[in-house]
Amino acid sequence: KLFTLQVVTQLMNNAISYTPAGSITLSIDLCAETDKRWITVGVTDTGPGITPEDLPHIFERFYRGRAAADYTTPGTGVGLSIAREIAQKMGGRLTVDTTLGIGSTFTLWLPAVM
C-alpha cells in the first residue's frame, strides 16, 4: 500500500508541476485486459502534454524533457523512473497517454487480487 501511495504521489506532484492552470483528475477503476483483472489509478492533467521527442525517454533516469525547462520545474528526473520500477516490482506497469496542448494521463496498473 505504501508503494502504491508513493507512485500516485509522484504522478500527482508531476501533474501539479506541469499544470499551472487547468485541472487534475484522479480516477480509480477495475478493468479486465488479456484475461487479467487490474486496478488502475489514473492521473489526468490539462498541462502542455509531452512532445513526441520526449515521450520515448520520460521513464529514463535523470531525463528531463523540454517542458521541465519551459516551466522551470525543479527535480532531478528520477521520479517517473522510480515510479515505473515500483509498479513493475508490484507486478504492474505504468503507462502514459498524451496529447500536445491538451494534457496527459499517467495510469498505474496493478493486478487485482480477488
Side-chain angles (χ1 to χ4, degrees):
K1 293 177 186 178
L2 180 62
F3 292 119
T4 302
L5 181 60
Q6 185 177 355
V7 172
V8 173
T9 300
Q10 178 61 48
L11 298 178
M12 290 295 294
N13 284 337
N14 279 6
I16 291 166
S17 294
Y18 292 102
T19 310
S23 64
I24 299 166
T25 305
L26 178 68
S27 61
I28 301 171
D29 202 359
L30 179 64
C31 62
E33 179 188 85
T34 62
D35 298 330
K36 280 183 129 177
R37 292 172 64 92
W38 299 91
I39 296 170
T40 60
V41 181
V43 176
T44 301
D45 65 57
T46 58
I50 302 166
T51 67
E53 297 80 23
D54 287 333
L55 191 58
H57 306 286
I58 62 169
F59 293 111
E60 294 174 9
R61 282 194 185 265
F62 305 111
Y63 184 81
R64 296 190 30 96
R66 190 184 82 208
D70 292 348
Y71 284 80
T72 61
T73 303
T76 58
V78 297
L80 287 177
S81 66
I82 291 171
R84 182 180 66 174
E85 288 175 21
I86 292 170
Q88 290 171 342
K89 287 184 188 285
M90 292 189 300
R93 64 187 189 275
L94 189 58
T95 60
V96 62
D97 292 307
T98 187
T99 303
L100 276 178
I102 294 177
S104 302
T105 298
F106 284 83
T107 304
L108 171 62
W109 297 72
L110 298 172
V113 179
M114 301 298 190

